[in-house]
Amino acid sequence: MRLLQRQRDGSFYFTEDLFNETITQCPYAILSHRWGQPDEEVTFEDIEKGSGQYRAGYQKIVFCAEQARKDGLEYFWIDSCCIKKSSDAELSEAINSMYRWYSSAARCYVYLPDVSTTKRKRDDETIPNKWEMAFRSSEWFKRGWTLQELLAPTSVEFFSREQKRLGDKRSLSQQISEITGIPLQALEGTQLSQFSVDERFKWAKKRSTTRAEDWAYCLLGVFDISMPAIYGEGKSKAVDRLKKAISESSHVPKELLERLPAAKDASFNSLAKQHEPTCLPNTRVDLLKQIHNWAGGDDQRYLFWLNGLAGTGKSTIARTERLGASFFFSRGGGDAGNAGNFVTTITLQFASSIPALRGYIHDVVSEHRDTASLSIRDQWQMLVIGPLSKLQRNGHSASYILVVDALDECDDESNIRILVQLFSDTRSLEMARLRVFLTSRPEVPIRCGLSQVPDMEHKTFILHNILRSVVDHDISSFLEHQCNTISQTCSLSTGWPGGDEIRAMTQTAGGLFIWAATACRFLSEGKRFAPKRLDMILKGSGNGVTEPEKRLDVIYTSVLEHSISPHYTDEEEEEVCHTLRQIIGCIATLYSPLSVASLSRLLSLPEQCIVQTLNDLHSILDVPEERISPLRLHHPSFRDFILNQYRCKDPRFRVHAKQVHQALAEHCLHLMSESLKQDVCGVEFPGKLVSSVERSQVEQCLPLEAQYACLYWVEHVRNSGMEICDNDQMHEFLKMHLLHWLEALGWMRKVPDGVIMITLLESLTLSHDCPLLHAFIHDARRFSMFNRQGIEQAPLQVYSSALCFAPANSVVRKEFESSNIPQWIQNLPVVPETWSAALGTLEGHSGPVTAVAFAPDGKRLISSSEDRTIRVWDPLSGQALAVFTHNSDYVNTVAFTRDSRHMASGSADSTVFLWDIESGEVQAKFEGHVRQSGPVTGVAFSFHTTQVLSGFQDTNVFLWDIDSGRVLRKISHSSRVNTVTFSPNGKWLASGCENGTVYLRDAASGDALASLNASTRSVSKVVFSPSSKHIVANGGSSVHKWEAKSGKLLATLKYDKWVDDIVFSPDGKQLAVVCKYAAEVWLRDAQSDEMLSKIRHSDYVGAIAFSPDGKSLASASESGAVWLWDIQLIERHQRHGERSESSAMLQGHSDKVTSIVVSPNGKQLASTSRDKTVRVWDAESGQTLRILKGHTETVWKALFSEDSNLIASCSVDGTVRLWDIYWGRQLKTLYGHSRSVWCIQFSPNNKQLASASYDGIVCLWSGELGEALIKLKGHEDSVYAITYSPDGRHLASGSIDQTIRLWDSTTGEALATFIQERKVSAVAFSIDGKWITSGSLDPDLVYLWDVESGSMLAEFEDYSSSSAIECVALSPDGKYIASASDDNTVRLWNVASGEMEILESDAAILELSFSTDGLFLNTNRGSISLARVLKSSMVRDQEQVNLFVSDQWIKAGPHNLLWLPAQYRSRYVATTRQNVSLGGNSDQMSMSMIRFDANFLNGLKQSVPS
């Protein structure tokens, strides 16, 4: 860009070329004008030569220069002479930069030669020229290029032919808007991206350009698009290119944004609000001016609160504002009545209106697939503030308006407070500013929330404090406008209504716009009887009552009375009134609005009946012409009126809420009974995921009235107060349709709501005499909680997985199994008789859970994890309510405040955070520890929640003042602090240290009271009893108990296992003891130490917490899950001698399974266990065939001989044993190792057996009974892997001494040593024996070696992983290496290119090999197809698809088949053609075998993947 300057002699010259960074240093003016004929305009070459003075256009240059000088500007730019049009490159650059150049100009002058201000004479009389008329018809408004010249600059000034200033874009905005059709908001600076593409094209529709292609090119800046100018391509092609560029610039994969749920009808421009009014011209003038100045000016206040009483016109004003996004709350409006989808709804609107923002939103949704389930706070930060911040960092400067209307209509006060807090985050946005326009009644939560916001950051306007005369003027204008429209529409007499009537109506409205709007709707519906209705209103309102509610009551009563014809007989009137009460009672009581069509089907009333009943009620109800659009109250005040007997005094119209709720409950049950069925959406595949089914398909199969019934029938039952008894309508519905209902909730993505509804029903049955119904619902609660995650993922699993894994005596299972368990499951898994004590698992963390805590009110459960998140759960439904991200480091300790509203967390980076539970906002951050000294080891709140205590591994304890963040006290210790706590009575604080001492101090003064010696190396946990009478601490395998007041040691309890955590039950009668590495939780009598019950966990237990009522226990697991346990059921199981473990399997091994292997003939399976046995199972029936006893320690692995007659097993006892399967006897014990034997391998010819041990030795056993022995020595550390070459001549062994050794398997001679420089965890030969591939135990490294030369051929590393390799394999053609890692991933490496692809990412693969054709990977969990990766057209000739067991699913090929509850997921599984064997997931496990029908599996072969 080059600018013009004027020299002293009056000539003009160019500056040097300026670029983006220098243009801003040279403020300039710019001229917008219509070009004359080619020979009239001064050109670039003229300026260069110093000529052109005699061209007609020269005067425009002089004018621009002179006006710029007056405005203090040295530089200016004019398109006709500042662009070297002979250069195609420069011309194309200018076309693409034009909008930006105009936007950057300090002033834009518009020269209008066809608009004159000169006075002229007519009839000897001098009159002023009507320049306004000429202005409106100026050619400047009809040209294409002038569109962006009008929109881009901030300052646009218009000048006449005489160079007289006419005004600017702001002062003439109304006229310009009327001339161009461009909204005022666009003229006033609203970001153009907030207007739709179609709307912006419409602005240019009637404009023209000299060159056809320019019609497209002149719009580049309007759409923020760049593309080359190709003159000669024609207008059509240029426009097509423009539209394609627009589409590509805003492209975000549809499926990603569809993950974000939107609240229906919450936006200002929703179909349901298309007829809602905006402010009339010349009304609300001062207020709208204030709002416009705030929105578009330099006002630094980010929030404008329009505060007004009901009916004062807040929503109308809100709809008048042009906005980037909006959310209009509406109580009873479904999702628009709560804040659950608030952030996602406005995010979708921002993505639509701001193209530059879409990519950032896309990145968030792509990276965080659970975005919609996060807390409102996290959603706000990730979806709104984060993307806007990135927009800001990229130099994007604009203001965006978010309108939040009727916040008081949000159904949760805590969420109201959260939203008000969230809005304050917009302060951080300085360039891409977000301004929040908020309307509401002056309710307490909003007032309190805003009281925390400084006055300088928000603006408040109290609508009901506007002078009554101003309000009356606006209401009068509104009434006059509406009545004039009614008069013209209904052909009423001229002058109706008169000024007196308008004034009377204005007076009667009492300042309420809702009264005026309702009255006008009432008059409009009267048509030719409108004058009569007006008399009725004025006479009915002449009672002198001034209270707004009573004024509304009068008009509502008038409307209702008028809907009843005076010509009805008494019987007819009663029937009409009954129907009216039924319909409007339902509309007023519904929790979410329904259309006429839906209401008709719900109430079993003809649509025509509803339409006729509501025909005269349009003034109080929004009755859309389309019967599929929802019916709505015009104003919530009608609901208050119709349900209140003191306000609705006419018994003909009065509605009794309980009666309506009962009727709606019965209608819901009836409708669901008729419409719900198995596979209601017709998806067929049992594992079809909810995420793969279009919402439109769900809505088609589950109409809105059916969805309403599914969601709200329980609420209607509760609010009806109806009698509940055995075998009533509700009981019969559940016995017939419980599974159908749960399936429907799954498709609706509302399964957690279902769990809560069932829990509510269970509480209702307790107060009624209905033992059978109570038993059914109690079992249904366990059934739904146990299977919640499976039904949420794939709703049809309610008939397969949910029933298959339910206990044998489950009431629900017995009711439904005979007719619902699919026939394709031929052999059902082994299940317990009754429900276990495990209520369910809470899954979501990706790392070990470090701490759990219940809120004191019992409504929330929090868990922290090494994945750096804190998750908030609903312990009732198991639903994840929020996720708080702790970016700096993992969190290892958490605590709730007594009011349950806040939480403290301590992290490994030495910081303590105070969180608001509802909003997820960090209220305070406490830092005072030495960051290099390790994590915060404990946090605790004082009795009155004014202080927080934190312990730290650097020997210090800090006491913080929550309000100020100051350190009140620093308490130093002589040893590392492991745990801190306050006593429940608030008198003492205690700390436990590494030196085995518990320190007791006065909480108020900090004075030391006692040092309690635990006589152990380290105290890991200190707790007070609930009564504060006792202190208990654990260290090592001991637990110590003292009297708190005196410090007297009362007991020292010694156990046979290490104790990691201790917690008192709320009543102090029980002490829960955690043995982490034994995966056990003990419940012991707090007085006698008697073992009351034992919980066996599926993996290591990290921490535990009791619910406040003592009925539940939460335990944290190493796997990332949180388990919920029923304490009463644990005690009952203990009394009856039953177990309380996370597994549901009842027979088989008495300790953890360590491996499973299938025999070569596929008829048998062998499992090994920590119980020192090997079990042989029938692969068809799942029955135990043999129990092989002899090992004296844990058995690691078993291996079948090639003929399936022998089993070899290896053990921690250092032996290898050979077993005869047929007789079940031990043939030989092979001694040769001094330490645990980890792996064994038969040679290919089955004549040799190799074993490897932690002692670093490999043994070769020859002969049928292993008589001969060769010890292969050379490794200096444990050998983790051995494998034979395909011809059996060589054996390779890998050790953690970082070497691979190659041996002659006949002589035992050491042939070669390959130095890997990483601990070796896996080895495998190529099919020709020429190569060896190996995996490392350290980072995810795979190596390829040449056997003959001993050289390393290649090294492969996935830099994103740090996991250990479990096994490796080479493809038959040598082109690929497959590796399985302990992070549950399988990687396929291209040997030639080194490229890597991840195949499976959620299952533990312990064995790996390629199929002979190289198209599949055979694993211990089944086969993985490589067709997609290899892009092979080859198809294996199979009778059926292959089974594969992922972490949560049994799959058949690409199809999800059966979901596995957490209790049935195992590291050790085995598959055959039709069978899946699950090796158990905790102590005392059996094998559980599931057999599938072969024909069914074969039928899936040609099916479309789910």
Side-chain angles (χ1 to χ4, degrees), residues 379-395:
Q379 288 184 31
W380 176 259
Q381 285 293 332
M382 294 168 66
L383 294 173
V384 179
I385 300 299
L388 284 173
S389 298
K390 291 179 180 177
L391 208 62
Q392 177 171 291
R393 286 197 294 273
N394 288 340

Side-chain angles (χ1 to χ4, degrees), residues 690-800:
V690 169
S691 58
S692 67
V693 177
E694 295 287 341
R695 290 180 185 268
S696 58
Q697 182 180 347
V698 174
E699 291 182 0
Q700 182 179 353
C701 300
L702 283 168
L704 294 179
E705 66 275 9
Q707 293 192 40
Y708 179 90
C710 289
L711 274 178
Y712 297 114
W713 71 274
V714 175
E715 279 298 319
H716 288 306
V717 168
R718 178 174 71 163
N719 289 313
S720 69
M722 59 193 291
E723 279 297 313
I724 298 174
C725 61
D726 288 334
N727 301 313
D728 62 4
Q729 182 187 9
M730 181 171 66
H731 194 178
E732 291 300 320
F733 165 77
L734 290 171
K735 288 194 293 183
M736 185 68 67
H737 298 289
L738 173 66
L739 301 189
H740 300 155
W741 176 52
L742 290 174
E743 181 203 336
L745 291 173
W747 295 122
M748 295 161 57
R749 309 183 186 205
K750 298 290 185 181
V751 176
D753 299 62
V755 176
I756 292 173
M757 284 187 270
I758 294 172
T759 306
L760 175 58
L761 280 179
E762 185 180 13
S763 67
L764 292 177
T765 60
L766 291 173
S767 58
H768 294 79
D769 183 18
C770 50
L772 297 178
L773 176 58
H774 176 75
F776 187 98
I777 293 177
H778 173 76
D779 195 79
R781 179 174 64 83
R782 293 301 310 272
F783 181 87
S784 60
M785 282 195 69
F786 185 78
N787 296 291
R788 175 184 61 81
Q789 294 177 66
I791 303 171
E792 278 186 304
Q793 291 183 52
L796 292 186
Q797 290 297 303
V798 74
Y799 308 104
S800 48

